[in-house]
Amino acid sequence: MLLATLALGGLLAFVGQTYQTGADAWQLFATWAALALVWALAVRRDAFWAVWLLITGLALALWSGDALFSPLQTLLGGRSSRSLLTPVLWVAVFLLPLALPRLRLLREGAATAPLSWRLAALMALGAWCAYAVFGLLMRDQLWQYFFNGLLVLGAAALAWALRPRDFVVLGLSVLALNVVVVGGFARLLLDGARGDSAGVTLLLTLIAAVCVGTSGTWLYRLQREEGQA
């Protein structure tokens, strides 16, 4: 079924290149995800759902007009997400793996879908961070920083509250939260700087070191405590 899914994507790409219908690239991935959904429902395995989420995430990234895997291109191009809809759709991607066991979309005996959730978390957190940084750089889009920062904070809180904890997802969430926080400090420091770029750089480096060091120490202690328990 996995090989069939990959062959399906190749077939759709071949048809699109042959007939040149003028469709956008996101439509290819959206059609691919829609057709492969039937197989995902039939297979009901974590690894297959991870592949399906990857295809769906690519479709969403291309539809939103953002280069998810090239945030620099997104920022330099001055493109933003499609209003509030795109970050909210990433919420659905982030939460879907948690709903799979409850919806009985996994094989019996599988209580979690760790591979799917880790991949979904990586894509969603990466998208939210890219949107937040875009909001910091564009003065008329500052609301994106706060909105996507709240989504990152909510993801971290959820990863911390769930039992058993997935420390990969929790670590990714804390890392994304550090990016948002340090980015906010960078915006404040740069706005208030008066030609002292060296001092701003030093202070920002210290803030980043404190944030990352504190987060790493907390995660290490938390994992050690759970391991002893």
Side-chain angles (χ1 to χ4, degrees):
M1 295 300 289
L2 179 60
L3 291 176
T5 301
L6 297 177
L8 174 61
L11 177 62
L12 290 173
F14 174 75
V15 171
Q17 289 294 325
T18 301
Y19 294 98
Q20 295 292 327
T21 59
D24 292 333
W26 73 267
Q27 295 177 340
L28 182 149
F29 285 94
T31 305
W32 187 2
L35 295 175
L37 178 60
V38 178
W39 294 342
L41 293 173
V43 174
R44 295 189 301 162
R45 292 187 181 276
D46 181 23
F48 200 95
W49 279 113
V51 174
W52 185 83
L53 281 170
L54 178 61
I55 299 171
T56 304
L58 288 172
L60 179 56
L62 293 171
W63 172 79
S64 66
D66 296 295
L68 178 62
F69 300 106
S70 181
L72 181 60
Q73 180 182 351
T74 299
L75 298 175
L76 293 178
R79 297 179 297 174
S80 61
S81 61
R82 294 179 184 263
S83 186
L84 294 176
L85 181 58
T86 309
V88 171
L89 290 177
W90 281 114
V91 173
V93 172
F94 182 80
L95 295 178
L96 178 61
L98 297 178
L100 293 177
R102 295 167 176 79
L103 297 176
R104 297 182 180 180
L105 297 179
L106 293 175
R107 296 279 182 176
E108 293 186 4
T112 59
L115 183 60
S116 300
W117 196 34
R118 291 170 182 177
L119 179 61
L122 178 62
M123 293 191 297
L125 290 167
W128 292 331
C129 284
Y131 302 151
V133 173
F134 176 87
L136 285 175
L137 296 181
M138 306 297 292
R139 294 185 179 276
D140 60 337
Q141 296 287 330
L142 191 59
W143 64 268
Q144 288 207 44
Y145 170 76
F146 293 104
F147 182 71
N148 289 280
L150 287 176
L151 292 178
V152 171
L153 180 61
L158 179 61
W160 179 81
L162 288 177
R163 298 293 188 278
R165 292 191 179 102
D166 190 320
F167 279 91
V168 174
V169 177
L170 182 58
L172 290 172
S173 302
V174 172
L175 177 61
L177 193 58
N178 277 312
V179 172
V180 173
V181 171
V182 174
F185 275 110
R187 171 67 185 270
L188 290 176
L189 291 175
L190 291 175
D191 286 346
R194 296 181 178 179
D196 188 13
S197 58
V200 170
T201 302
L202 178 60
L203 183 57
L204 186 60
T205 302
L206 291 176
I207 292 174
V210 170
C211 290
V212 174
T214 303
S215 301
T217 302
W218 175 72
L219 285 172
Y220 173 75
R221 290 180 178 177
L222 187 63
Q223 188 175 18
R224 187 175 181 180
E225 290 175 0
E226 288 203 3
Q228 292 176 350

